[in-house]
């Protein structure tokens, strides 16, 4: 079993079209506003089709094209592909670097879970309805089917836009391919604010965003560390570390837990994304710029 950050912009675009159709999640409300503005305020593209599952053939050559649905909508495959490409250009591409950074952070968090907790704990994070009873994994798939891996392995990929009610398997029926399980990884409200705020123009160094000391603390937390270890590594007092980690924790960038008499600090998904944000365009909450 392995993890990737994304199966690519086409997949996220198809899932984003579904998210726009549904329009029922508050964490996407700002993106909905921006997307509809970019699309000219007109009707949702492909109103006669549901992107998931009707367009999954764009992602998976082994999946059948919904020919009867295309005929009903009066569209050819080429016309559908052109609409998806234009939707990507207008509604997904402007934030793609931040989306990709977010998904990379999600992958890194899941990789840590796999390392520390094993396959069972990892699969429990894929979906609230996931049931793992080795060697069988039961999930709410968009297409009700039984997938036999037959020694091919399985790749897990998070998706920002995939609706939370379902998972999608890509490549299940291509004999030589390793199936990819795409699972929903929607942002929380703090992550959503960073995802949809600003633009991707102009990159700022992390210290300029949150201050040199807090930037150094985040960089030191690529591994879980104690307050004392951070104090030695950064060269400030333990009390100073506690003050800065309190701010970082309140901003949702780190978590703190106690193990007996030791306080351990770790990066959150949002913290990982911000740390990678020197090249991704993520911006921290205003209160961190001190």
């Amino acid at each position: 079993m392995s993890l990737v950050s994304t199966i690519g912009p086409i997949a996220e675009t198809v899932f984003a079209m579904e998210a726009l159709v549904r329009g029922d999640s508050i964490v996407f409300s700002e993106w909905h506003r921006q997307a509809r503005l970019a699309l000219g305020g007109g009707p949702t593209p492909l109103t006669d089709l549901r992107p998931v599952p009707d367009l999954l053939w764009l992602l998976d050559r082994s999946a059948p094209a919904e020919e009867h649905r295309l005929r009903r909508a009066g569209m050819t495959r080429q016309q559908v592909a052109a609409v998806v490409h234009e939707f990507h250009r207008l509604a997904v591409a402007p934030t793609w670097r931040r989306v990709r950074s977010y998904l990379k952070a999600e992958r890194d968090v899941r990789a840590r879970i796999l390392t520390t907790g094993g396959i069972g704990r990892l699969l429990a994070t894929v979906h609230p309805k996931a049931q793992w009873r080795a060697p069988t994994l039961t999930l709410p798939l968009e297409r009700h089917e039984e997938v036999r891996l037959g020694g091919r392995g399985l790749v897990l990929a998070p998706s920002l836009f995939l609706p939370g009610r379902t998972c999608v398997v890509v490549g299940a029926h291509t004999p030589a391919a390793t199936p990819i399980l795409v699972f929903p990884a929607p942002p929380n409200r703090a992550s959503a604010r960073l995802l949809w705020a600003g633009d991707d123009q102009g990159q700022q160094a992390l210290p300029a965003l949150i201050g040199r000391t807090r930037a150094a603390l985040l960089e030191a937390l690529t591994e879980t560390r104690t307050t004392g270890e951070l104090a030695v590594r950064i060269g400030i007092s333990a009390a100073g570390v506690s003050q800065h980690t309190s701010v970082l924790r309140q901003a949702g960038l780190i978590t703190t837990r106690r193990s007996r008499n030791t306080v351990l600090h770790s990066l959150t998904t949002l913290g990982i994304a911000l740390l990678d944000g020197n090249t991704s365009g993520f911006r921290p909450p205003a209160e961190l710029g001190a």
Side-chain angles (χ1 to χ4, degrees):
M1 181 172 294
S2 60
L3 289 147
V4 295
S5 58
T6 176
I7 61 172
I10 294 177
E12 283 302 311
T13 299
V14 170
F15 301 147
M17 295 176 79
E18 177 71 11
L20 191 63
V21 168
R22 291 181 63 83
D24 57 358
S25 176
I26 190 169
V27 295
F28 289 108
S29 59
E30 176 58 21
W31 175 78
H32 288 158
R33 185 191 68 79
Q34 294 178 15
R36 293 188 183 280
L37 185 63
L39 293 167
T44 301
L46 306 176
T47 51
D48 293 326
L49 296 171
R50 288 302 297 266
V52 178
D54 295 348
L55 303 186
L56 293 183
W57 52 269
L58 283 165
L59 318 179
D60 184 357
R61 293 182 180 180
S62 70
E66 300 286 348
E67 300 290 355
H68 65 288
R69 296 181 183 272
L70 295 180
R71 287 195 298 271
R72 186 180 65 192
M75 301 184 73
T76 66
R77 289 192 186 192
Q78 291 77 12
Q79 288 172 326
V80 169
V83 170
V84 172
H85 176 79
E86 184 67 1
F87 186 92
H88 171 77
R89 185 181 71 83
L90 295 172
V92 177
T95 59
W96 177 243
R97 290 173 65 188
R98 277 172 276 157
V99 169
R100 185 174 57 188
S101 178
Y102 173 86
L103 293 174
K104 184 178 178 182
E106 284 287 331
R107 179 205 61 194
D108 291 346
V109 168
R110 296 310 197 289
R112 291 184 185 183
I113 292 173
L114 177 61
T115 300
T116 60
I119 291 176
R121 186 178 172 197
L122 170 64
L123 293 176
T125 72
V126 166
H127 196 278
K129 294 183 179 180
Q131 297 181 13
W132 168 245
R133 295 185 179 90
T136 301
L137 173 63
T138 303
L139 286 167
L141 297 179
E142 186 57 44
R143 299 180 186 277
H144 298 289
E145 58 184 337
E146 181 178 283
V147 178
R148 294 185 178 274
L149 298 180
R152 291 179 294 170
L154 182 67
V155 175
L156 301 184
S159 169
L160 174 69
F161 289 107
L162 182 65
R165 71 183 189 281
T166 189
C167 297
V168 168
V169 177
V170 176
H173 304 295
T174 301
T178 301
I180 302 173
L181 173 62
V182 185
F183 61 92
N188 57 29
R189 293 192 181 187
S191 296
R193 285 198 300 270
L194 299 181
L195 278 165
W196 318 132
D199 56 42
D200 287 325
Q201 303 299 317
Q203 300 171 10
Q204 302 184 62
L206 186 61
L209 290 172
I210 64 174
R212 288 189 298 273
T213 302
R214 291 169 193 163
L217 285 170
L218 283 186
E219 290 167 354
L221 285 174
T222 51
E223 298 178 10
T224 297
R225 298 186 189 277
T226 67
T227 298
E229 288 172 337
L230 288 173
V232 172
R233 192 175 184 87
I234 305 303
I236 61 176
S237 67
V241 169
S242 296
Q243 290 177 351
H244 287 296
T245 53
S246 176
V247 175
L248 294 171
R249 186 168 55 252
Q250 290 172 13
L253 299 178
I254 69 170
T255 61
T256 299
R257 60 187 175 87
R258 184 174 293 277
S259 177
R260 297 182 180 178
N261 295 325
T262 302
V263 177
L264 299 171
H265 307 283
S266 304
L267 290 175
T268 63
T269 299
L270 185 59
I272 295 171
L274 179 60
L275 192 59
D276 187 55
N278 286 303
T279 57
S280 70
F282 265 87
R283 297 183 180 184
E287 64 266 28
L288 280 178

